[in-house]
């Protein structure tokens, strides 16, 4: 098998501010795997939080390309990828991108969509996705919420964690007034102490927030679990639940775990976490990094397995270079087409 890589810049429509940073753009490295004239695609995006820049991703994906060249076909490579216990030293985002490209190619060769490869029968998965509202002035947040509801969004995820908690409360009040029937999720990205969380969460519960994601700084999952015992809102772990072992420690102790393919290592690990959580009282959230449709698509093929779906990374872009999963009306949809079912836009047209 042959592989090639390309690095592109993904600019956001507007900067996204969260409690620890503001982002206006990020770079993506695309991996394309070719075999017998067919192509599979995957994407890894840069992340300051996870210490991955474009040069590092490009180098690691080059090493993966050399490894893939030793396999006779993508089916064998995909099986080996899932069985390879030595991959602990490879960043999960890289593994997820390789798996994406192989799944896309294997699906095309078998003439079936990825969700069928993963065991889903019947109609392709589709799900209501949350739409992120960053930290901004309350009036602006309210206006954005009203527009998103008009577009069809019914779930809004509000970023929080400003130095003055009153700003967060004012923002949520403005959004609630502008979108009285929307479901609201809150994400401080680990900005609160345990004392702050216990004081603030009841106020957000009164405003009709449905769940709070990673309210405490990551690194102390025991504290997060203890908060979840007393919280009037469901607590969803994110930064404290990176991989399977993290999920195992928190299963049954928090109300939700946010699984991101770039965080856990791809579709295979995500399915194992979903199986682990079943029956524990901890629900699955499917999340993402800001990425193109190509980077979000593998998770969409799992969307019917989650209670909360937060797969809007491609919707934050000024110009998404791929198409195929929808989302602009508040619903993401897996395709019936073989593989991931996504296509790259080129010159106003889409190409596989």
């Amino acid at each position: 098998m042959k592989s090639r890589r390309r690095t592109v810049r993904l600019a956001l429509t507007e900067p996204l501010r969260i409690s620890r940073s503001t982002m206006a753009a990020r770079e993506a490295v695309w991996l394309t795997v070719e075999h017998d004239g067919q192509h599979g695609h995957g994407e890894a995006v840069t992340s300051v939080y996870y210490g991955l820049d474009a040069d590092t991703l490009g180098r690691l994906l080059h090493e993966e390309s050399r490894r893939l060249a030793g396999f006779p076909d993508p089916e064998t490579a995909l099986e080996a990828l899932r069985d390879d216990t030595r991959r602990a030293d490879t960043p999960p985002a890289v593994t997820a991108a390789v798996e994406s490209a192989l799944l896309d190619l294997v699906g095309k060769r078998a003439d079936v969509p990825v969700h069928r490869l993963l065991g889903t029968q019947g109609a392709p998965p589709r799900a209501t996705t949350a739409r992120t509202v960053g930290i901004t002035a309350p009036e602006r947040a309210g206006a954005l919420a009203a527009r998103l509801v008009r577009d069809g969004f019914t779930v809004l995820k509000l970023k929080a964690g400003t130095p003055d908690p009153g700003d967060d409360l004012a923002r949520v009040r403005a959004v609630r007034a502008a979108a009285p029937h929307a479901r609201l999720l809150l994400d401080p990205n680990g900005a609160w102490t345990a004392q702050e969380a216990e004081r603030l969460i009841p106020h957000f519960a009164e405003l009709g927030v449905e769940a709070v994601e990673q309210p405490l700084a990551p690194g102390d999952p025991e504290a997060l679990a203890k908060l979840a015992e007393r919280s009037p809102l469901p607590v969803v772990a994110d930064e404290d639940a990176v991989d399977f072992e993290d999920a195992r420690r928190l299963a049954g102790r928090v109300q939700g775990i946010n699984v991101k393919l770039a965080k856990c290592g791809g579709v295979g690990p995500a399915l194992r976490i979903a199986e682990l959580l079943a029956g524990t009282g901890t629900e699955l959230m499917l999340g993402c990094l800001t990425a193109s449709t190509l980077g979000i698509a593998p998770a969409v093929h799992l969307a019917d397995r989650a209670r909360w779906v937060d797969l809007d990374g491609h919707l934050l872009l000024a110009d998404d270079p791929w198409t195929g999963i929808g989302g602009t009306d508040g619903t993401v949809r897996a395709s019936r087409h073989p593989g991931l079912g996504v296509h790259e836009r080129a010159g106003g047209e889409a190409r596989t």
Side-chain angles (χ1 to χ4, degrees):
M1 291 186 295
K2 295 189 251 184
S3 304
R4 64 178 185 271
R5 296 154 307 285
R6 178 153 53 119
T7 300
V8 298
R9 180 177 173 83
L10 303 176
L12 278 66
T13 301
E14 59 182 60
L16 176 65
R17 180 187 170 195
I18 66 175
S19 61
R20 61 175 177 253
S21 63
T22 300
M23 179 180 62
R26 73 183 342 146
E27 290 181 289
V29 181
W30 295 341
L31 173 69
T32 297
V33 180
E34 178 184 354
H35 186 70
D36 287 343
Q38 292 183 297
H39 302 82
H41 307 281
E43 176 181 271
V45 295
T46 56
S47 170
V48 173
Y49 184 79
Y50 291 110
L52 294 173
D53 57 26
D55 289 341
T56 300
L57 289 174
R59 175 179 57 79
L60 292 171
L61 287 170
H62 174 68
E63 294 173 3
E64 294 295 322
S65 296
R66 294 176 62 185
R67 185 178 304 176
L68 291 173
F71 291 98
D73 53 60
E75 292 80 7
T76 305
L78 182 60
E79 183 178 357
L81 179 77
R82 291 175 172 170
D83 293 339
D84 190 353
T85 59
R86 300 168 300 172
R87 302 194 65 86
D89 294 334
T90 302
V94 172
T95 304
V98 174
E99 183 201 46
S100 171
L102 291 174
L103 282 169
D104 191 26
L105 184 50
V106 168
K108 289 172 180 174
R109 281 164 56 83
D111 198 30
V112 297
V114 163
H115 59 267
R116 288 291 179 87
L117 295 177
L118 303 177
T120 297
Q121 302 299 319
R126 56 181 289 160
T128 298
T129 181
R131 177 62 159 78
T132 301
V133 176
I135 294 174
T136 187
E139 318 81 61
R140 197 156 180 275
L144 176 57
R147 178 175 67 78
L148 290 171
V149 168
R150 287 195 299 270
D151 289 343
F153 288 89
T154 59
V155 184
L156 303 176
K157 178 163 137 174
L158 311 181
K159 293 294 187 178
T162 57
D164 180 0
D167 291 341
D168 293 334
L169 286 165
R171 188 178 318 105
V172 175
R173 289 192 188 101
V175 168
R176 175 51 77 209
H181 304 298
R183 296 165 54 198
L184 303 183
L185 306 175
L186 192 72
D187 185 9
N189 286 106
W192 296 337
T193 65
Q195 293 75 19
E196 288 172 331
E198 292 196 11
R199 176 170 56 86
L200 292 170
I201 288 176
H203 294 295
F204 291 111
E206 291 174 359
L207 291 170
V209 170
E210 181 175 317
V212 58
E213 186 178 340
Q214 194 65 44
L216 306 184
D220 191 352
E222 288 298 315
L224 192 69
K226 289 177 181 177
L227 175 66
E229 291 178 1
R230 302 185 295 272
S231 172
L233 290 178
V235 171
V236 179
D238 181 3
E239 288 89 342
D240 267 327
V242 174
D243 56 20
F244 182 88
E245 286 304 312
D246 291 336
R248 185 180 59 78
R249 282 189 287 270
L250 286 169
R253 306 185 66 202
V254 294
Q255 287 77 30
I257 287 180
N258 186 342
V259 173
K260 299 174 182 174
L261 304 192
K263 184 175 68 170
C264 72
V267 166
L271 287 173
R272 289 194 289 275
I273 293 173
E275 182 179 354
L276 167 75
L277 297 182
T280 66
T282 298
E283 303 276 1
L284 177 69
M285 172 186 273
L286 273 176
C288 64
L289 303 180
T290 303
S292 77
T293 281
L294 173 60
I296 306 297
V300 175
H301 285 267
L302 301 176
D304 55 346
R305 304 169 193 248
R307 173 178 174 182
W308 298 285
V309 172
D310 180 26
L311 298 177
D312 69 335
H314 61 304
L315 302 177
L316 305 180
L317 301 182
D319 183 18
D320 185 356
W322 292 78
T323 184
I325 60 173
T328 56
D329 60 352
T331 301
V332 289
R333 305 166 178 84
S335 170
R336 296 181 182 272
H337 297 297
L340 292 174
V342 301
H343 307 280
E344 185 185 356
R345 303 178 191 272
E349 300 179 353
R351 67 183 183 204
T352 301

